[in-house]
Amino acid sequence: MSNSNPVTPILQLKDVKIAYGGIQAVKGIDLELYRGELVCLIGANGAGKTTTLNALAGTLGLAGGELIYDGEAISTMPAHKRLRRGIALVPEGRGIFTRLTVEENLRMGAYIRNDSAAIEEDLEKVYTMLPRVKERLQQVAGTLSGGEQQMVAIGRALLSRPRLLLLDEPSMGLAPLVVEKIFEVVQTVKDEGVTILLVEQNANLALEFAQRGYVMDSGKISITGSGEELLANPAVRAAYLGEAA
Amino acid sequence: MDTLLQQLLNGLVVGSVYALVALGYTMVYGILGLINFAHGEVLMVGALTALTVITTLMGVSPDMPPLLLLGIGLLAAMVVCMIVAFLMERLAYRKLRNAPRLAPLITAIGVSFLLQTLAMIVWGRNYHTFPQLISTTPMQPIEGVYINPIQITTIVASAIIMVGLVLLVTRTKLGRAMRATAENHRVASLMGVDVNKIISLTFVLGAALAAVAGVLFASNYGIAHYAMGFMPGLKAFTAAVLGGIGNLGGAMLGGIVLGLVEAVGAGYIEHLTFGFLNSSYQDIFAFVILGIVLIFRPTGLLGERVSDRA
């Protein structure tokens, strides 16, 4: 294990700028994540949240600034190598391989691993966590409902045994009951010690679960604080929690 | 009846070769959405490489058993073709991966000309006699129907290779990664897949099949030539479209069906046109089929909706 000092962040964003199709979507943000934390990133549509997560996972390059993960600069590391370091992203829209079966999707999550016995164990763990997935293993994943696909996407990410899990809008378009189930899973994962960065439109829900939160606005971080602080912050309540100021 | 049976058999032989080449087209299309028009030339490079290696070896040690000669020639052809395909992707297509579709397509045609010209420089403009190391002496299993050992070899070898490829793609971790990459490059990279490697591998695998096809093709006809890849390449492309481009089973089915239609058509074209056209017009059938498929079923026999990949 590398640096396990609790005061050193597992992930650090230093003045990160990201340009996307000619426009600067993220205009210099600083953000820190500490080991074992669940931190959420909230903000309006187009604030740059998804862009930030994609840059963390390595599918988008930086236009400036630096990413430090576990004491190492990873700004130019390609996505497939970042996964090997333990950074997994559950992308916006789930990114299920619709033509592969559910089981094949899950096994793709373990692509970087060669410890087949442990992979089978982890698969079983995912099945117990997500029993509805287990009933559909041989089904082509494109036939699953949105909620089931989201569960497969999360299960798949877990099979890489991530140390840092990036979740992009896991509640998007899902019924409240399903969302509840998904957040139960997120909580379980957090309890196992995985650091989580959660992007959510549903700010209320996210802040309830998160220890800390960052509010993003037009490519910048406007407010930061603990989950409770942000929930109590009148500006946040007005802008993101649907309350009149 | 004998004519029909004989033509079906001939069709199966040539269809197997089309199928092997069609697989290369369809795999590359599946993963990149690119029609690699230079793929037919890989078959030619394979045949001519094997020719050079085999004739050289025959000169050096005339006592070498023919099957060993053919084996070494085939192996060399595969290696050279794999290198050619690797370089093709790396130097010509990779930079164009996010370019508008027309750019890589025209580049592919350019690569095709380049390979033909290079082959002409290396091997000259003449037709070469390709040593027929597997016997072409016909046997007569059924009265009036002839088949020779190289034809049997062609069918059997193609079948084995195709089964192997299907197993690779459907049953192995690598095959799973190939299918995942074909569906979504970005998400595949999020799974830790080195997408560039998978793409290189797809080209290289297709080229190995084309090398085998080239050696089988040349062994059947006893001839190799710098332009020999053009027509089988075009036919194999037709076969891939006929079966449903991007679909492995489709490429195999398309190859076989095309071979059969062509051979049966060639056998009867004189009757059909009252002697106006003879069997040397057999190429008509492939392109008539291509036209019909594109008009009535552009997704091909086994195709799903035309891939939405860019």
Side-chain angles (χ1 to χ4, degrees):
Chain A
M1 280 316 303
S2 47
N3 201 340
S4 56
N5 183 344
V7 295
T8 329
I10 184 168
L11 181 74
Q12 249 181 311
L13 282 72
K14 291 184 179 169
D15 194 27
V16 163
K17 298 184 179 82
I18 310 160
Y20 194 69
I23 49 158
Q24 198 160 63
V26 175
K27 301 165 181 160
I29 60 169
D30 295 286
L31 187 151
E32 271 129 44
L33 275 175
Y34 294 88
R35 241 163 267 279
E37 269 191 314
L38 170 53
V39 172
C40 73
L41 187 58
I42 57 174
N45 259 333
K49 306 179 305 279
T50 293
T51 307
T52 304
L53 282 199
N54 287 339
L56 289 177
T59 57
L60 265 184
L62 298 191
E66 211 179 352
L67 291 180
I68 303 190
Y69 172 73
D70 214 6
E72 183 187 8
I74 57 161
S75 310
T76 57
M77 186 186 281
H80 65 96
K81 288 192 181 151
R82 291 192 201 186
L83 185 77
R84 285 173 195 273
R85 303 293 163 96
I87 305 178
L89 167 68
V90 178
E92 184 182 29
R94 299 149 201 146
I96 286 295
F97 299 114
T98 55
R99 281 175 278 175
L100 271 57
T101 66
V102 171
E103 187 182 344
E104 286 177 326
N105 266 279
L106 291 172
R107 285 188 186 276
M108 277 309 295
Y111 179 76
I112 55 168
R113 296 171 57 188
N114 289 312
D115 47 344
S116 30
I119 291 174
E120 300 306 318
E121 272 173 37
D122 286 3
L123 273 171
E124 285 303 324
K125 249 173 75 184
V126 167
Y127 299 157
T128 32
M129 222 188 302
L130 308 167
R132 287 173 68 182
V133 166
K134 190 175 183 178
E135 297 157 23
R136 290 168 171 70
L137 286 182
Q138 299 314 319
Q139 211 168 311
V140 174
T143 62
L144 297 184
S145 71
E148 288 161 346
Q149 288 194 6
Q150 188 66 63
M151 289 179 184
V152 171
I154 294 174
R156 186 177 66 176
L158 293 178
L159 274 158
S160 70
R161 287 205 171 162
R163 294 199 289 142
L164 170 60
L165 182 64
L166 310 170
L167 291 168
D168 199 350
E169 307 244 8
S171 74
M172 190 165 57
L174 303 181
L177 266 176
V178 183
V179 173
E180 203 174 292
K181 175 73 198 155
I182 283 171
F183 273 80
E184 267 171 42
V185 173
V186 172
Q187 186 65 48
T188 316
V189 174
K190 186 205 173 270
D191 292 344
E192 287 181 6
V194 177
T195 312
I196 299 173
L197 180 58
L198 170 69
V199 159
E200 260 298 340
Q201 285 271 331
N202 189 339
N204 236 330
L205 186 67
L207 289 172
E208 236 169 78
F209 273 88
Q211 279 138 313
R212 292 192 301 119
Y214 290 84
V215 180
M216 244 183 132
D217 186 15
S218 318
K220 294 203 155 213
I221 286 182
S222 54
I223 313 170
T224 161
S226 73
E228 289 122 40
E229 279 166 14
L230 291 179
L231 273 173
N233 184 316
V236 174
R237 298 187 74 83
Y240 306 109
L241 302 178
E243 275 184 21
Chain B
M1 190 61 213
D2 291 352
T3 322
L4 181 62
L5 209 56
Q6 182 68 57
Q7 290 309 96
L8 286 175
L9 197 65
N10 295 347
L12 195 58
V13 174
V14 69
S16 307
V17 175
Y18 292 160
L20 285 180
V21 183
L23 281 167
Y25 275 104
T26 224
M27 284 196 293
V28 165
Y29 184 86
I31 217 149
L32 278 186
L34 163 75
I35 306 284
N36 178 17
F37 270 118
H39 187 58
E41 310 309 334
V42 178
L43 172 148
M44 170 274 292
V45 171
L48 286 169
T49 303
L51 171 84
T52 302
V53 171
I54 290 169
T55 45
T56 310
L57 281 174
M58 281 167 112
V60 177
S61 66
D63 302 329
M64 204 182 264
L67 278 183
L68 183 63
L69 272 174
L70 188 65
I72 296 173
L74 180 64
L75 206 64
M78 288 170 82
V79 170
V80 169
C81 286
M82 286 157 105
I83 294 170
V84 166
F86 177 83
L87 293 175
M88 197 193 287
E89 189 275 326
R90 195 73 190 74
L91 302 177
Y93 303 138
R94 187 168 295 185
K95 289 229 184 307
L96 298 171
R97 216 174 276 164
N98 297 313
R101 291 185 92 134
L102 202 53
L105 188 68
I106 291 170
T107 304
I109 295 171
V111 173
S112 170
F113 281 124
L114 176 75
L115 287 175
Q116 264 197 42
T117 312
L118 285 176
M120 194 174 77
I121 294 168
V122 176
W123 284 287
R125 309 179 68 105
N126 297 328
Y127 285 85
H128 300 277
T129 309
F130 193 91
Q132 296 189 297
L133 298 164
I134 294 179
S135 162
T136 51
T137 315
M139 302 177 293
Q140 211 178 155
I142 305 169
E143 182 69 25
V145 178
Y146 295 88
I147 187 163
N148 64 38
I150 182 63
Q151 290 181 309
I152 297 173
T153 310
T154 304
I155 295 170
V156 173
S158 305
I160 291 172
I161 289 170
M162 288 190 258
V163 169
L165 184 75
V166 168
L167 289 179
L168 172 78
V169 171
T170 56
R171 299 285 165 83
T172 68
K173 184 172 165 182
L174 185 67
R176 196 158 61 220
M178 290 173 73
R179 284 179 289 134
T181 306
E183 188 167 334
N184 191 331
H185 290 195
R186 194 176 83 89
V187 179
S189 76
L190 290 175
M191 303 293 116
V193 175
D194 186 341
V195 169
N196 283 331
K197 257 191 203 153
I198 295 287
I199 290 170
S200 289
L201 183 92
T202 305
F203 271 85
V204 163
L205 210 56
L209 299 192
V212 177
V215 173
L216 290 172
F217 195 74
S219 296
N220 270 284
Y221 295 103
I223 274 176
H225 180 233
Y226 78 93
M228 69 181 282
F230 179 72
M231 199 44 100
L234 215 49
K235 299 273 183 68
F237 165 67
T238 305
V241 173
L242 170 63
I245 192 139
N247 180 315
L248 288 191
M252 296 187 263
L253 179 70
I256 302 292
V257 167
L258 187 65
L260 292 176
V261 169
E262 219 178 71
V264 172
Y268 292 98
I269 190 168
E270 263 191 278
H271 299 289
L272 289 174
T273 60
F274 305 102
F276 183 65
L277 298 175
N278 62 33
S279 64
S280 51
Y281 284 90
Q282 60 163 317
D283 292 343
I284 287 175
F285 293 101
F287 303 112
V288 168
I289 286 183
L290 181 62
I292 292 173
V293 170
L294 289 177
I295 292 166
F296 294 105
R297 198 175 158 80
T299 54
L301 296 175
L302 302 185
E304 316 148 38
R305 68 204 154 79
V306 168
S307 168
D308 50 7
R309 306 224 22 263

